[in-house]
Amino acid sequence: MVALPLHMNGHQQENDWQDRIIQGDCQEILKTVPSDSVDLVVTSPPYADSRKKTYGGIHPDQYVEWFLPIGAELQRVLKPTGSFVLNIKEKVVDGERHTYVLELILALRQQGWLWTEEYIWHKKNSYPGKWPNRFRDAWERCLQFNRSKQFNMYQDSVMVPTGDWAKTRLRKLSETDQRRDESRVGSGFGKNISNWVGREQAYPNNVLHLATESSNRKHSAAFPQELPKWFIKLFTQEGDLVLDPFMGSGTTALAAKALGRHYLGIEIQPEYVELARQSVGDADCE
Amino acid sequence: MVALPLHMNGHQQENDWQDRIIQGDCQEILKTVPSDSVDLVVTSPPYADSRKKTYGGIHPDQYVEWFLPIGAELQRVLKPTGSFVLNIKEKVVDGERHTYVLELILALRQQGWLWTEEYIWHKKNSYPGKWPNRFRDAWERCLQFNRSKQFNMYQDSVMVPTGDWAKTRLRKLSETDQRRDESRVGSGFGKNISNWVGREQAYPNNVLHLATESSNRKHSAAFPQELPKWFIKLFTQEGDLVLDPFMGSGTTALAAKALGRHYLGIEIQPEYVELARQSVGDADCE
DNA sequence: GTTCCGCATGAATCGATAG
DNA sequence: ACTATCGATTCATGCGGAA
């Protein structure tokens, strides 16, 4: 049977785990989350040795060791059809890219995760700076892991306008619409699709072009809401549960809520917890 | 005619190693190349299990083992101030990204290489296709390795125009071209750079936006000439020596020659050798 | 000389079929 | 069961021919 939250007894209601932001160390909190209950984990954990003041600064050499227990819990709480998206980028240490992310990928596979794909987040407005031996770092990894080869993926929900739709849309419109309508019947969507009716659309690829959010004042990591949104649309449906064990200022929760998904956020810093709760609360008023 | 290095006796003149394309297995040929003689290695080795007919198809599980002896030779022939740029991408095997590239990076570091940086080549025109569990693969790794932390880097040579270029130029373009320009983010590759001489310039970042050359010539080059050109400009000066141990149809040699650098190409396939020689020969006539 | 349009062409991947 | 081959799917790009 599932590990029940400590304060609950008897029948557990799934709703208790939805739309909440919990303060605490995710390694501990996660133990109280039921198995096979989460549809998507999307998170941007503290990077090694960075954000020292906020997270205690995990040393690069200890990063894998630190993350593995959390990876194990995430594997347990994720549904077999769910996905785990890890946004991360290795630091420069002593003039070299450190290898802890590579080692983490290998270690997570040892743990049973499937390394399905590596998406690239291209940061269009990367952090300025100049060094004699390198250029600005303008990309981060978004690693997709799965428990099983059979996972949910709703590709139609993230389609984008075709490169030259303006040129050909009028000509091909009828023909293409017919074809797309057929395929739409089987896959039971409708909401987002309707936004694109009349346009040519194509499936995206594994390179995401997003700007970092400079307005994110308090939390040190500039994690644009569009990033979790994209993965939430891609890997969940409305009503599904999205987990972020390193919630920070609540970007993932906001994204999930805005898309009609349930969220579960864990954050160790009380200030961030408060900030995140305000954010999702504020969103209520809109 | 092919003047093989083995035919030479006595003192080696550096010129003997310049501007030549040698047919043979690079693992063997490299042994005859003088130590500390190359300013830049830029190459795109056969990817695991691909190009089966031409290279014999290295199995993913044996890739690291196969590459390491070559890596050792490259380390020897490279000058201490030189760089080694490796263009590579892992395949999907059984629904997962294979880990041989990650393992190769770790193994090359064991061999003494410094993993200085990972550039991303964003392939604007990625191979089409649709699958239930993934999108099209639109990026490849360009891994930069060095022998020493003190390596040559000429950042000014790859600066890109900035600022008001969109403003000035977009007005004249058609609607479709405008749309294309939007997606043409960042590192100003392209032919019209000369139009922007004298304008404000900025340093690029570590994401390169290039299209593959699909229907360019008879022989479609796996990587576009702009890719080696960028690294050649960045890591060498005129008169320096550029080595490509997997020359293919000669893209790197052409790029080096066009930029006034010397080249040394090694290629096992006689047809490619012939093609590459014709290419650099043809370039002479222009 | 432009601009526009048609068309072939990829460092792909999956799933089914065949040996 | 495990490998090898094949068909289906899909789209940005650049060339060449046409207006």
Side-chain angles (χ1 to χ4, degrees):
Chain A
M1 187 54 194
V2 230
L4 288 176
L6 300 177
H7 62 276
M8 287 195 204
N9 53 1
H11 302 297
Q12 162 204 344
Q13 302 188 2
E14 194 171 309
N15 286 345
D16 293 334
W17 289 104
Q18 296 189 345
D19 305 323
R20 292 183 52 202
I21 292 171
I22 303 175
Q23 191 275 323
D25 185 339
C26 70
Q27 197 169 333
E28 298 303 317
I29 304 292
L30 280 173
K31 290 178 184 166
T32 68
V33 176
S35 300
D36 304 338
S37 62
V38 172
D39 294 282
L40 170 66
V41 178
V42 53
T43 193
S44 189
Y47 296 177
D49 205 17
S50 64
R51 301 202 287 181
K52 233 179 198 167
K53 292 168 185 170
T54 58
Y55 275 98
I58 302 101
H59 192 278
D61 295 339
Q62 299 158 359
Y63 199 85
V64 174
E65 183 188 356
W66 166 77
F67 194 89
L68 277 186
I70 299 165
E73 284 302 311
L74 295 178
Q75 200 171 4
R76 183 184 60 78
V77 303
L78 189 68
K79 289 183 187 172
T81 55
S83 287
F84 166 30
V85 174
L86 181 62
N87 167 230
I88 196 169
K89 180 63 189 270
E90 56 268 29
K91 285 196 54 159
V92 174
V93 176
D94 203 19
E96 274 187 283
R97 288 286 168 193
H98 200 281
T99 55
Y100 60 89
V101 174
L102 312 186
E103 286 153 12
L104 179 59
I105 295 172
L106 299 177
L108 287 172
R109 283 192 78 249
Q110 288 295 321
Q111 201 172 60
W113 287 101
L114 303 176
W115 182 35
T116 303
E117 181 59 306
E118 178 170 352
Y119 291 84
I120 294 297
W121 169 27
H122 166 43
K123 298 188 280 189
K124 286 193 286 189
N125 56 343
S126 54
Y127 195 84
K130 184 183 183 309
W131 302 268
N133 56 348
R134 65 181 62 250
F135 287 135
R136 288 171 300 146
D137 192 4
W139 65 276
E140 296 190 8
R141 309 177 194 278
C142 294
L143 304 164
Q144 179 195 348
F145 296 94
N146 290 96
R147 289 183 59 182
S148 145
K149 287 173 198 167
Q150 311 295 327
F151 56 87
N152 295 328
M153 191 177 194
Y154 309 100
Q155 303 188 343
D156 289 347
S157 59
V158 293
M159 292 187 82
V160 293
T162 300
D164 45 15
W165 62 271
K167 186 163 51 178
T168 42
R169 60 187 280 199
L170 292 179
R171 181 157 329 185
K172 289 187 178 178
L173 190 59
S174 56
E175 176 197 345
T176 322
D177 264 357
Q178 273 191 345
R179 184 165 50 82
R180 295 224 194 270
D181 270 328
E182 286 177 22
S183 65
R184 218 178 296 158
V185 173
S187 49
F189 289 97
K191 209 161 194 183
N192 295 330
I193 298 271
S194 59
N195 296 339
W196 296 109
V197 165
R199 297 190 189 182
E200 289 250 17
Q201 45 183 359
Y203 293 102
N205 54 44
N206 58 0
V207 177
L208 279 56
H209 301 275
L210 295 176
T212 58
E213 274 174 15
S214 53
S215 61
N216 205 338
R217 45 191 197 271
K218 303 216 173 178
H219 198 261
S220 40
F223 186 65
Q225 197 181 120
E226 289 303 318
L227 192 62
K229 264 189 177 172
W230 196 80
F231 289 109
I232 289 170
K233 283 190 285 188
L234 182 56
F235 291 124
T236 68
Q237 292 179 302
E238 288 191 18
D240 282 357
L241 178 57
V242 178
L243 165 65
D244 186 346
F246 302 97
M247 159 106 351
S249 58
T251 309
T252 301
L254 266 178
K257 181 167 187 174
L259 292 169
R261 275 71 166 175
H262 296 291
Y263 58 85
L264 171 57
I266 305 173
E267 170 58 42
I268 197 168
Q269 292 278 316
E271 320 129 43
Y272 286 146
V273 172
E274 197 51 42
L275 200 66
R277 285 180 179 150
Q278 282 177 17
S279 296
V280 288
D282 288 345
D284 267 334
C285 306
E286 293 174 20
Chain B
M1 189 55 197
V2 196
L4 285 178
L6 299 177
H7 301 163
M8 296 196 248
N9 53 3
H11 303 297
Q12 271 178 347
Q13 303 184 4
E14 194 171 307
N15 286 345
D16 293 334
W17 290 104
Q18 297 190 345
D19 304 323
R20 292 184 51 205
I21 291 170
I22 302 174
Q23 190 275 324
D25 184 341
C26 71
Q27 197 169 335
E28 297 303 317
I29 304 291
L30 280 173
K31 290 177 184 167
T32 68
V33 176
S35 300
D36 303 339
S37 62
V38 172
D39 294 281
L40 171 66
V41 178
V42 52
T43 193
S44 190
Y47 297 0
D49 209 14
S50 65
R51 296 208 289 189
K52 238 180 195 168
K53 292 169 186 170
T54 57
Y55 275 97
I58 302 101
H59 193 278
D61 295 338
Q62 299 158 1
Y63 199 84
V64 174
E65 181 188 357
W66 167 78
F67 194 87
L68 276 186
I70 300 165
E73 284 302 311
L74 294 177
Q75 201 171 5
R76 184 183 60 78
V77 302
L78 188 68
K79 289 182 187 173
T81 55
S83 286
F84 166 31
V85 175
L86 182 63
N87 167 230
I88 197 167
K89 180 64 190 260
E90 56 268 30
K91 283 192 55 159
V92 172
V93 176
D94 204 18
E96 273 187 285
R97 288 283 165 197
H98 201 281
T99 55
Y100 60 89
V101 175
L102 312 185
E103 287 154 10
L104 179 59
I105 295 173
L106 298 177
L108 286 172
R109 284 192 77 250
Q110 288 296 322
Q111 201 172 58
W113 287 102
L114 304 175
W115 181 35
T116 303
E117 180 60 306
E118 177 169 352
Y119 292 84
I120 293 296
W121 169 25
H122 166 41
K123 296 189 284 187
K124 289 191 293 184
N125 57 340
S126 53
Y127 199 94
K130 184 186 183 312
W131 311 275
N133 56 346
R134 65 181 63 248
F135 288 135
R136 293 172 296 144
D137 189 8
W139 64 278
E140 296 191 8
R141 307 177 194 275
C142 294
L143 304 164
Q144 178 196 349
F145 296 95
N146 289 96
R147 290 182 58 183
S148 146
K149 287 174 199 166
Q150 311 295 327
F151 56 88
N152 295 327
M153 190 178 193
Y154 310 99
Q155 301 189 346
D156 290 347
S157 60
V158 293
M159 290 186 81
V160 293
T162 58
D164 51 356
W165 73 303
K167 240 181 286 177
T168 348
R169 188 175 168 210
L170 287 184
R171 202 157 303 166
K172 299 180 181 175
L173 295 180
S174 67
E175 185 189 346
T176 38
D177 278 344
Q178 277 193 28
R179 225 208 140 275
R180 285 234 173 82
D181 266 78
E182 283 177 25
S183 63
R184 200 179 295 157
V185 231
S187 322
F189 287 94
K191 318 157 186 177
N192 301 330
I193 296 268
S194 57
N195 297 341
W196 306 102
V197 171
R199 301 217 174 215
E200 225 175 309
Q201 301 210 312
Y203 294 102
N205 54 45
N206 57 3
V207 178
L208 313 179
H209 302 272
L210 290 177
T212 59
E213 292 173 3
S214 54
S215 59
N216 222 3
R217 294 200 173 200
K218 281 187 180 181
H219 232 82
S220 48
F223 61 42
Q225 200 181 118
E226 289 301 322
L227 192 64
K229 264 190 178 171
W230 197 79
F231 288 111
I232 289 171
K233 282 190 286 189
L234 183 58
F235 291 125
T236 69
Q237 292 179 300
E238 288 193 17
D240 282 357
L241 178 57
V242 178
L243 165 65
D244 187 345
F246 301 97
M247 160 105 352
S249 56
T251 308
T252 302
L254 266 178
K257 182 167 186 173
L259 292 169
R261 273 71 165 175
H262 296 293
Y263 58 85
L264 171 57
I266 305 173
E267 171 57 43
I268 199 167
Q269 290 279 316
E271 322 135 37
Y272 283 143
V273 172
E274 198 52 42
L275 201 66
R277 285 180 181 149
Q278 283 176 13
S279 296
V280 288
D282 287 346
D284 269 334
C285 305
E286 292 174 18

